[in-house]
Amino acid sequence: MGRSLGVQWVAGPKLYTQRKLRPQQYFLPWQRGPEERKAFEVPGLNVCIIQSILKSVANCWCLLYLSQSFQFPLPWEKCPLVKNSSDFDAECARTTPFMYFWYRQTLKISDTIEDDGTLISSVSLSLFVTWCFIGAIMMHGIKILGKVMYVLVLLPYLIMVCFLIWSPLLNGSLFGLQHLLKFKKVSVLDCFMIIINVGNHLLSSLGLGLGIIAAFSSYLPPSNNCLVDAVVVALVNLGTMLMTTAVIIFVVGFWVTITTNRCKEKNVEVLINLVSLGELPPEAMPPANIVSNVASMFTSWLESLPQSVKKMVQSKVSQCNTEDQIMKTTIGPGFTFLLFVETMSFVPGAAYWSILFFLMYLSFGMTAIVGNMQGIFTPLQDTFSGFKNHPKLLTVSVTLLLFLGSLFFAQPPGYYYFRLLDDYWFSFPTVLLPTMETMGIAWIYGAKR
């Protein structure tokens, strides 16, 4: 997302309405016909198509959550009641309201990937709205795109600054920072995976090798200082990642602190109940004042018990360890729609912060899709000259086809396919395409040049 924000922020105010050069012909002048250009344009085009579909699906989920954030109380804070009854839904009671709302009410996910089902109406409608908005932006062409980017780029940064100021003030937020800075011994395999993940994220955030940067740059005048733009894009991308990382670290620290304290409070209730039922000896009864400061007193009280009683207590309660809790954190949709949503419910004004968060996420996602769409339109217009004379027809056709393709993920098993592509497919072309293109340009154009 930093790539789309950086490129469009730099290029947006200076975009011309007509393309000044074709980047493929500039770097590869020996290409004489459309067949040679296709060999270089098709791989990036295909990746942009799949990325656009995946990002539109994530945006539609965000739009659903944003529309629900205007309710009070928030629908994911409590389990729903069974129809014509005062009891909570049994499945929700076995997990958490946040997981139930995400998997059962938003995704309406099937039990296995093989299960079939009809399209989910709420997800399909949200996808339609998402693609209508993207189509409306692209319909007006590059002239209006620069003005739209002022809003879509500046809005998430303003919201991010608000989160950056607010998140360090949360209780236990510094625990996440301490955990990050703590030296940990990792295996060679884990170290290798960390390097792969960091490299994959860096390449995908810059959008290298997909033709997106070249597509936007082709609208700039030939006299434009591309070196300065490249430095600014890299710095904006770096700043975006640092700001996002800081907010995530503080939020994770707060989440771990709250969930650990709630785990200890639940353990106290369980022990009181078991002692009253006679399943544990009286020595296992927590002191009366432990409820007032369960975060610090529970562990010290447990360590002071006799060894035999301590083993009995530990066999009956959950292990509330902060290190174990922080290892439960996930990336991707699991962080956005589960951990962050749960964290927002712990603070006053949860609806307000939820609206800001999903508005920021939606703006980030929209700018990313706009960048991918430009990476789709440009090679199509270069390859098929008829699309240049009918840009609106191209916009409607591509948007409609991508919307129909995204409906595949609006089925009950759609989330499984989304995770398969996002976790296992996405990194391969992200690393392969820039590597091969860099080697090709260095060999043909000359590394020293």
Side-chain angles (χ1 to χ4, degrees):
M1 292 181 184
R3 167 258 305 161
S4 295
L5 288 170
V7 173
Q8 295 160 17
W9 179 61
V10 171
K14 301 181 287 184
L15 289 177
Y16 279 40
T17 57
Q18 300 294 329
R19 298 177 64 200
K20 298 299 177 182
L21 55 89
R22 293 184 181 181
Q24 291 87 354
Q25 294 180 356
Y26 178 76
F27 288 107
L28 304 170
W30 47 269
Q31 295 179 18
R32 298 299 181 185
E35 295 301 325
E36 289 84 353
R37 289 199 296 271
K38 287 179 184 178
F40 285 85
E41 294 174 346
V42 169
L45 172 66
N46 292 334
V47 175
C48 285
I49 289 174
I50 298 177
Q51 283 189 2
S52 298
I53 292 176
L54 293 180
K55 290 170 183 176
S56 70
V57 174
N59 274 6
C60 92
W61 296 334
C62 180
L63 191 60
L64 287 173
Y65 268 79
L66 179 62
S67 63
Q68 299 285 341
S69 299
F70 293 92
Q71 301 182 29
F72 183 81
L74 294 172
W76 50 78
E77 290 185 349
K78 294 182 179 180
C79 288
L81 297 175
V82 179
K83 190 175 182 180
N84 299 327
S85 175
S86 59
D87 297 329
F88 291 110
D89 186 280
E91 184 180 7
C92 179
R94 290 194 300 268
T95 57
T96 63
F98 313 98
M99 294 183 67
Y100 182 83
F101 184 84
W102 169 236
Y103 288 110
R104 291 304 185 195
Q105 294 190 325
T106 302
L107 300 178
K108 297 181 180 178
I109 194 170
S110 58
D111 294 332
T112 63
I113 194 172
E114 292 85 4
D115 294 343
D116 295 326
T118 59
L119 293 176
I120 304 169
S121 58
S122 57
V123 177
S124 302
L125 179 61
S126 181
L127 280 171
F128 179 75
V129 173
T130 300
W131 281 112
C132 283
F133 184 75
I134 294 296
I137 294 176
M138 304 304 297
M139 184 77 72
H140 291 83
I142 202 70
K143 186 176 183 179
I144 195 67
L145 190 58
K147 299 177 181 178
V148 173
M149 286 304 109
Y150 276 119
V151 178
L152 290 182
V153 171
L154 293 179
L155 178 62
Y157 275 105
L158 292 176
I159 299 176
M160 182 69 74
V161 170
C162 294
F163 276 105
L164 192 61
I165 297 173
W166 166 76
S167 56
L169 305 177
L170 298 173
N171 179 30
S173 59
L174 294 180
F175 174 77
L177 184 61
Q178 294 171 0
H179 179 81
L180 178 69
L181 299 178
K182 187 184 298 183
F183 177 78
K184 307 174 191 67
K185 205 172 181 181
V186 296
S187 64
V188 177
L189 179 60
D190 291 337
C191 185
F192 178 75
M193 292 305 298
I194 291 173
I195 294 174
I196 291 295
N197 289 331
V198 171
N200 176 41
H201 179 74
L202 183 62
L203 290 173
S204 62
S205 63
L206 287 173
L208 301 179
L210 304 182
I212 300 172
I213 294 179
F216 277 104
S217 300
S218 64
Y219 291 94
L220 296 173
S223 59
N224 183 73
N225 193 332
C226 294
L227 179 61
V228 174
D229 288 349
V231 173
V232 172
V233 168
L235 292 177
V236 170
N237 181 68
L238 176 62
T240 303
M241 289 193 293
L242 290 176
M243 290 174 62
T244 306
T245 302
V247 172
I248 290 174
I249 289 172
F250 292 137
V251 168
V252 168
F254 173 67
W255 176 81
V256 169
T257 302
I258 296 298
T259 52
T260 303
N261 292 344
R262 291 194 173 189
C263 175
K264 293 177 180 179
E265 292 174 359
K266 188 176 180 180
N267 285 346
V268 170
E269 295 177 0
V270 170
L271 291 175
I272 293 175
N273 198 17
L274 292 176
V275 171
S276 62
L277 293 175
E279 297 184 20
L280 288 177
E283 292 84 358
M285 175 67 75
N289 62 341
I290 196 173
V291 180
S292 60
N293 193 9
V294 67
S296 59
M297 292 184 62
F298 182 81
T299 303
S300 58
W301 168 78
L302 185 62
E303 294 297 329
S304 65
L305 293 175
Q307 195 65 24
S308 58
V309 179
K310 180 181 176 181
K311 289 184 178 180
M312 295 175 62
V313 170
Q314 289 178 334
S315 65
K316 299 291 184 180
V317 298
S318 304
Q319 298 297 320
C320 305
N321 189 291
T322 53
E323 294 294 334
D324 293 340
Q325 286 293 115
I326 204 168
M327 295 306 295
K328 294 180 181 178
T329 57
T330 59
I331 59 175
F335 174 83
T336 304
F337 299 103
L338 288 176
L339 190 146
F340 205 96
V341 168
E342 183 179 2
T343 305
M344 292 301 98
S345 66
F346 297 150
V347 298
Y352 167 75
W353 290 108
S354 296
I355 292 172
L356 283 182
F357 173 73
F358 289 116
L359 194 60
M360 177 187 69
Y361 189 93
L362 195 63
S363 299
F364 274 131
M366 288 297 179
T367 56
I369 297 178
V370 167
N372 284 116
M373 294 292 282
Q374 198 62 43
I376 296 172
F377 288 175
T378 301
L380 288 178
Q381 289 176 333
D382 287 347
T383 306
F384 305 101
S385 58
F387 285 137
K388 292 182 181 180
N389 301 324
H390 303 88
K392 292 187 177 180
L393 177 61
L394 173 64
T395 301
V396 173
S397 302
V398 172
T399 303
L400 180 60
L401 290 175
L402 292 179
F403 165 67
L404 294 176
S406 62
L407 288 178
F408 175 78
F409 300 94
Q411 305 175 82
Y415 183 68
Y416 297 114
Y417 294 104
F418 179 90
R419 290 303 302 269
L420 284 174
L421 287 172
D422 192 47
D423 294 345
Y424 299 102
W425 174 86
F426 187 77
S427 59
F428 178 72
T430 302
V431 175
L432 181 63
L433 286 180
T435 303
M436 299 302 293
E437 290 182 9
T438 302
M439 294 173 60
I441 292 177
W443 176 55
I444 298 169
Y445 192 67
K448 292 184 180 180
R449 296 175 64 189

